Amino acid sequence: MTTNLSLRPVTSTDLPIFFEYQLDEEANWMAAFTAKDPTDRAAFMAHWQRILANKTVFIQTILADGEVAGSVLRYEDEGKPEVSYWLGKRYWGRGIASWALSEFLARHNMTRPMYARVAKDNPGSRRVLEKCEFRVIKEMSGYANARKAEISELLLVLEG
Ligand SMILES: CC(C)(COP(=O)(O)OP(=O)(O)OC[C@H]1O[C@@H](n2cnc3c(N)ncnc32)[C@H](O)[C@@H]1OP(=O)(O)O)[C@@H](O)C(=O)NCCC(=O)NCCS
């Protein structure tokens, strides 16, 4: 069981690990609104270089007992702040995402309202958000790369 969780800034050595985590097929299915081609390493690295240099994006690496377990980030969509996260599969089911999102929101004094999106059929991610007091405000339909189809997506808000 995990005993020690922490957040720290992303380093360049984290990127190959994040790349490996986002290759997982089950994770892609869950998240649904993913990269067009998760196996495209060059596109992944270019995307991460862009977001790490973007002043409106704030990303932290999640460490579990000193190992890179995943990432949690805040970005903006049409000027509205949103959060997202992704964990390597071997770290699932240990309360890590719930801890990381709650710590990320508290420690970094994030503005409110804060938004998040989740595929309607991703109960784990929805539960993480609801445990952090996000509530569903809208159901939308969008094209999900990982499903190659239009699916239902929920927009959630955390008010403060
Ligand atoms: C979704 C994800 C972040 C959950 O991370 P996690 O560390 O396993 O989540 P936690 O252990 O904090 O679990 C939070 C809650 O969700 C529940 N949960 C987790 N996975 C679940 C699943 N697949 N189905 C149903 N409930 C689930 C847990 O039981 C827990 O609820 P509880 O506290 O009431 O028991 C992780 O599975 C992941 O990274 N998936 C791939 C990428 C993804 O979907 N990212 C989110 C995009 S919106």
Side-chain angles (χ1 to χ4, degrees), residues 26-28 30-31 84-88 91-99 117-119 122-125 127-129 131:
E26 187 185 350
N28 272 277
M30 284 170 81
S84 189
Y85 36 80
W86 193 295
L87 293 189
Y91 298 97
W92 293 3
R94 292 157 61 176
I96 297 177
S98 302
W99 176 86
R117 291 160 197 263
V118 60
N122 186 348
S125 184
R127 181 85 185 110
V128 167
L129 291 164
K131 284 175 75 178

Side-chain angles (χ1 to χ4, degrees), residues 26-27 29-33 71-72 83-87 92-93 97-98 101 115-136 147 153-154 156:
E26 187 185 350
W29 182 266
M30 284 170 81
F33 299 95
S71 61
V72 53
V83 285
S84 189
Y85 36 80
W86 193 295
L87 293 189
W92 293 3
S98 302
L101 181 60
Y115 296 88
R117 291 160 197 263
V118 60
K120 192 179 179 186
D121 58 3
N122 186 348
S125 184
R126 179 174 175 174
R127 181 85 185 110
V128 167
L129 291 164
E130 289 181 335
K131 284 175 75 178
C132 290
E133 298 179 348
F134 282 77
R135 64 182 178 85
V136 175
R147 313 282 181 89
E153 184 182 30
L154 303 176
L156 295 93

Side-chain angles (χ1 to χ4, degrees), residues 75-110:
Y75 60 99
E76 287 183 9
D77 185 66
E78 295 175 358
K80 289 184 173 175
E82 293 194 20
V83 285
S84 189
Y85 36 80
W86 193 295
L87 293 189
K89 193 186 262 177
R90 61 180 171 276
Y91 298 97
W92 293 3
R94 292 157 61 176
I96 297 177
S98 302
W99 176 86
L101 181 60
S102 151
E103 178 75 4
F104 185 75
L105 291 165
R107 175 137 65 101
H108 299 289
N109 202 17
M110 298 281 169

Side-chain angles (χ1 to χ4, degrees), residues 44-65:
F44 176 89
M45 292 300 170
H47 171 72
W48 272 82
Q49 293 306 343
R50 261 196 316 277
I51 60 175
L52 287 170
N54 184 333
K55 297 258 182 291
T56 69
V57 180
F58 179 65
I59 319 178
Q60 295 269 279
T61 291
I62 305 164
L63 296 180
D65 288 334

